[in-house]
Amino acid sequence: PRPSPLNEALESDERRRFRRALLRLDPDDQQLVVGRLELELDYEQLARATGRPTSEAARCAARRAMLRLARKVGELDRQERAG
C-alpha cells in the first residue's frame, strides 16, 4: 500500500533534516554516513572506501560520525523551535 499523504510529508521533512544536518558535518564524516546509510557498505567496504586500516576502525569512525550527525539534527531542531 502507498503511504498516506501525512506519512509522505513526514518522511520528506525527515529526509530534509537529515540532508541539512549531513551538510554540516565535515567531509570525512559525510563519506562515512553516506557510505553506511545510503550505499549500505559493510564495514570492510567502508574501510577501503575511506582509507581506514581495518573494518573495526571503519565501524568506530562510522559510529562517531552517526553520533555527530544526531547532534546536528538536534541542533537544527532546537533552532527551528526557537524561531
Side-chain angles (χ1 to χ4, degrees):
R2 190 165 185 255
S4 71
L6 175 60
N7 283 343
E8 285 182 352
L10 291 173
E11 288 175 11
S12 176
D13 185 51
E14 287 177 17
R15 281 192 300 273
R16 194 170 24 259
R17 285 185 8 227
F18 168 80
R19 289 282 175 214
R20 287 180 57 214
L22 183 65
L23 290 173
R24 292 174 180 229
L25 294 177
D26 68 49
D28 188 52
D29 282 350
Q30 288 178 18
Q31 186 178 21
L32 288 161
V33 170
V34 168
R36 191 71 183 126
L37 295 181
E38 294 187 7
L39 301 177
E40 298 179 351
L41 299 178
D42 64 33
Y43 292 117
E44 188 64 40
Q45 293 168 320
L46 194 60
R48 285 193 302 272
T50 62
R52 301 284 184 310
T54 65
S55 60
E56 181 64 15
R59 186 190 66 76
C60 291
R63 182 177 185 280
R64 289 190 299 269
M66 299 292 183
L67 291 172
R68 285 189 282 272
L69 177 66
R71 282 194 293 271
K72 296 292 184 190
V73 168
E75 290 170 9
L76 289 171
D77 286 346
R78 284 189 293 282
Q79 289 173 2
E80 287 178 8
R81 284 194 301 268

